[in-house]
Amino acid sequence: MANVKDLKVNAPVNRLRGGLPKIGIRPTIDGRLGGVRESLEVQTMNMAKSAAEFLSMNLRHANGLPVECVIADTCIGGVAEAAQCAEKFAQEGVGVSLTVTPCWCYGSETMDMDPYMPKAVWGFNGTERPGAVYLAAVLAAHNQKGIPAFGIYGRNVQDAGDTSIPEDVKEKLLKFAKAGLAVAAMKGKSYLSMGAVSMGIAGSIVNEDFFQKYLGMRNEYIDMSEFIRRIDEEIYDKEEYERALSWVKENCRVGDDPNPAEMQRTAEQKEKDWEFVVRMTIIARDLMVGNPKLGELGFGEEALGHNAIAAGFQGQRQWTDHFPNGDFLEAMLNSSFDWNGIRQPYIVATENDCLNGVSMLFGHLLTNTAQVFADVRTYWSPEAVKRVTGFQLEGLGKDGLIHLINSGPAALDGTGEQTIDGKPVMKPYWEITPEEAGKCLDATKFRTADIGYFRGGGYSTDFLTKGGMPVTMSRINLVDGLGPVLQLAEGYTVELPKEVHDSLDSRTNPTWPTTWFAPSLTGNGAFKDVYSVMANWGANHGAFSFGHIGAELITLASMLRIPVCMHNVPQDKIYRPSAWSAFGMDAEGSDYRACCNFGPIYGKK
């Protein structure tokens, strides 16, 4: 058993430079003084306070810190007060804008004109004053001016003095706010490319236009030789390294060596590999977010890091043909715990597949949980499983399975050893207990790397995901002439009998983590059957997040003007800006047309 009695949950901290985005609440009002405005001031401001309280109580940033809401100093009855509110929001670091009102207001005079900030308008559904009329008018103004906004309107009429928020309004407020905060969190941050293109994989060709125009992010680059420089010159916290190495030896279970006897590394070489990969992990983290300890050691420049909200490690082949692989580095950083305790996961893509890294980042920011990176490796039909193992697939997997597997960057949270009411889950780090972290470690074997793949040695993680978890697999792809597209598939993890899993797993590489994935089928298009899901997947990699978050991903994509080319989300769950309804009656076609028309959020090409 892993010795985790001293593993503490770290206090929330913002490890990136820059403040955390806040949600700005804009109470708009009928500006006519002399009886009209005065009669609405209290109700309008109370609506703003209710929205702020609800959002603050139900949202946290991915680092665990609470989400703050900022309310305009006064109700906004016209352009002067709108400008005053905009100034306050700029000073307070607001990154998401929500306008609320129970009444008629002057649409284009009171609207939020910031073209880069995600925005929504909640019009109160009441009979005393025409909040719905303002909502329609101001959304029309947003659409006409090319500043898309989300509309929020309750299904049922409320009384004027009712300060409660209906459930359908709550759902839209949260969906909008989560996606808006994700947009704001990425802006100004970096993707750190550690190395370059891995084995010709298109996803590791870093496209700066995509990052800058669609995500508002910077691109930072280091050569992998930087790892060697920092190891040789001891540019890392040596006290932490000793503590980390001791923790790894005590808590990381070493599995069988899969290599033929004549190819196996010696015990001395394996020991050196552990020392090397632990140093690599610490150095990769320092490269991403910096480390003040390095400043104390006299390395002021290195102490700063690259302010990277996500990163990728090239590894294959120029690195792994000679040095230990990056599997341990990726697996531990992507997990919600290490020798420093239980903490926010880092987002690190294997093979520097930055597009899969962005997919992982989306999932992390929407759910606050660790993400699993995998090859979309093999489609196993019920007939093929029956032929090879004699087992008839049943339950969630009865229609076939997709084997998700890669050499080790999957977060250990992906074992499914964290639970709620006895069911496997993946939790935000602040909800994970030391015992659950220990179970994740116990369920993982660190296997000596397959020398056929990794000539330089190292260690790969080997675990099997528990069945029954709702998950969403997603992927960003770039298409010439079109730009980025998002695809996603909601479904469930599946547990197979041990002998069946072993038989199927041994046909590929049993030293790597496996998730058996059954996408939810609709009977149509790419979700006609499991084979079609596999056939329509746009690349060799995918990322999956705990929970069915397809609707949240679609909302986020619409904010960034990224069309969705493949999903299995029910139509009544999809939430996009008001303007999308003007681009045709087929929802997915209108998504493409709207994204093309408005262009990337940070500037058209």
Side-chain angles (χ1 to χ4, degrees), residues 265-273:
R265 295 165 76 79
T266 66
E268 182 181 4
Q269 286 175 315
K270 290 178 180 179
E271 178 65 22
K272 292 294 184 184
D273 284 353

Side-chain angles (χ1 to χ4, degrees), residues 156-196:
N156 297 313
V157 172
Q158 294 178 260
D159 297 331
D162 187 353
T163 59
S164 68
I165 304 177
E167 290 303 314
D168 60 331
V169 172
K170 287 181 179 178
E171 182 180 349
K172 287 186 175 179
L173 283 172
L174 286 178
K175 200 171 288 183
F176 163 75
K178 285 180 182 178
L181 287 168
V183 171
M186 289 185 284
K187 186 178 181 183
K189 306 303 188 300
S190 304
Y191 175 86
L192 175 61
S193 177
M194 296 185 284

Side-chain angles (χ1 to χ4, degrees), residues 179-497:
L181 287 168
V183 171
M186 289 185 284
K187 186 178 181 183
K189 306 303 188 300
S190 304
Y191 175 86
L192 175 61
S193 177
M194 296 185 284
V197 180
S198 172
M199 300 183 295
I201 293 172
S204 58
I205 302 172
V206 177
N207 184 301
E208 292 207 353
D209 274 356
F210 166 64
F211 278 93
Q212 294 170 19
K213 294 181 179 179
Y214 285 89
L215 308 181
M217 289 175 59
R218 307 173 71 98
N219 294 94
E220 292 283 296
Y221 305 87
I222 60 117
D223 188 86
M224 287 182 295
S225 63
E226 177 66 4
F227 282 84
I228 298 301
R229 183 181 80 90
R230 293 196 182 202
I231 289 173
D232 288 350
E233 299 183 20
E234 297 187 328
I235 308 175
Y236 55 88
D237 181 349
K238 289 185 281 296
E239 182 277 327
E240 181 189 3
Y241 162 69
E242 295 295 343
R243 177 165 45 84
L245 186 62
S246 175
W247 184 90
V248 167
K249 289 180 177 180
E250 186 173 6
N251 294 287
C252 294
R253 298 172 61 211
V254 177
D256 297 333
D257 189 331
N259 298 290
E262 66 276 11
M263 295 181 65
Q264 291 183 8
R265 295 165 76 79
T266 66
E268 182 181 4
Q269 286 175 315
K270 290 178 180 179
E271 178 65 22
K272 292 294 184 184
D273 284 353
W274 272 123
E275 296 171 1
F276 197 93
V277 299
V278 170
R279 287 187 179 98
M280 284 174 64
T281 306
I282 293 171
I283 289 168
R285 181 206 62 204
D286 291 351
L287 282 163
M288 288 182 69
V289 301
N291 186 346
K293 286 280 188 179
L294 300 184
E296 297 172 15
L297 296 171
F299 303 106
E301 183 180 357
E302 291 84 351
L304 297 174
H306 290 266
N307 204 34
I309 196 171
F313 182 75
Q314 176 190 340
Q316 297 186 77
R317 285 187 44 207
Q318 289 83 350
W319 179 269
T320 57
D321 277 4
H322 186 64
F323 296 111
N325 64 15
D327 288 6
F328 180 81
L329 172 167
E330 295 155 2
M332 289 311 301
L333 290 181
N334 280 321
S335 298
S336 299
F337 48 85
D338 60 19
W339 45 87
N340 290 318
I342 301 171
R343 44 86 180 134
Q344 181 188 7
Y346 296 84
I347 299 299
V348 184
T350 194
E351 293 159 357
N352 197 27
D353 185 347
C354 62
L355 297 181
N356 219 50
V358 168
S359 305
M360 295 167 71
L361 180 58
F362 285 0
H364 176 57
L365 293 175
L366 290 172
T367 67
N368 302 336
T369 60
Q371 305 295 296
V372 174
F373 182 117
D375 274 359
V376 184
R377 191 87 173 192
T378 309
Y379 162 65
W380 278 98
S381 67
E383 295 79 11
V385 173
K386 180 79 170 178
R387 177 182 64 82
V388 170
T389 69
F391 179 74
Q392 183 64 51
L393 290 175
E394 55 191 19
L396 292 170
K398 64 182 175 59
D399 296 312
L401 299 168
I402 296 176
H403 192 178
L404 303 180
I405 180 172
N406 200 285
S407 62
L412 271 57
D413 305 57
T415 56
E417 294 292 338
Q418 301 159 23
T419 59
I420 295 177
D421 297 330
K423 297 179 180 179
V425 300
M426 295 168 65
K427 298 179 179 179
Y429 80 88
W430 56 86
E431 296 178 6
I432 299 171
T433 66
E435 292 74 21
E436 287 173 325
K439 288 179 179 179
C440 292
L441 285 162
D442 289 339
T444 305
K445 292 181 180 178
F446 292 84
R447 307 279 296 272
T448 305
D450 184 330
I451 299 300
Y453 281 91
F454 305 114
R455 298 173 187 173
Y459 290 91
S460 296
T461 51
D462 178 18
F463 65 73
L464 175 61
T465 301
K466 283 194 169 184
M469 284 203 299
V471 296
T472 304
M473 185 169 71
S474 66
R475 168 77 190 185
I476 290 282
N477 293 303
L478 294 179
V479 181
D480 184 43
L482 175 61
V485 294
L486 172 69
Q487 54 182 169
L488 63 92
E490 294 183 342
Y492 293 87
T493 63
V494 173
E495 201 156 328
L496 298 175

Side-chain angles (χ1 to χ4, degrees), residues 71-85:
I71 302 175
D73 291 333
T74 67
C75 292
I76 300 168
V79 67
E81 287 162 321
Q84 180 180 316
C85 174

Side-chain angles (χ1 to χ4, degrees), residues 87-104:
E87 183 179 12
K88 179 176 183 177
F89 283 6
Q91 293 170 348
E92 292 279 354
V94 167
V96 182
S97 170
L98 173 66
T99 297
V100 302
T101 190
C103 61
W104 166 254

Side-chain angles (χ1 to χ4, degrees), residues 114-128:
D114 187 322
Y116 304 118
M117 193 180 300
K119 49 186 56 65
V121 183
W122 173 22
F124 185 80
N125 185 359
T127 55
E128 291 82 2

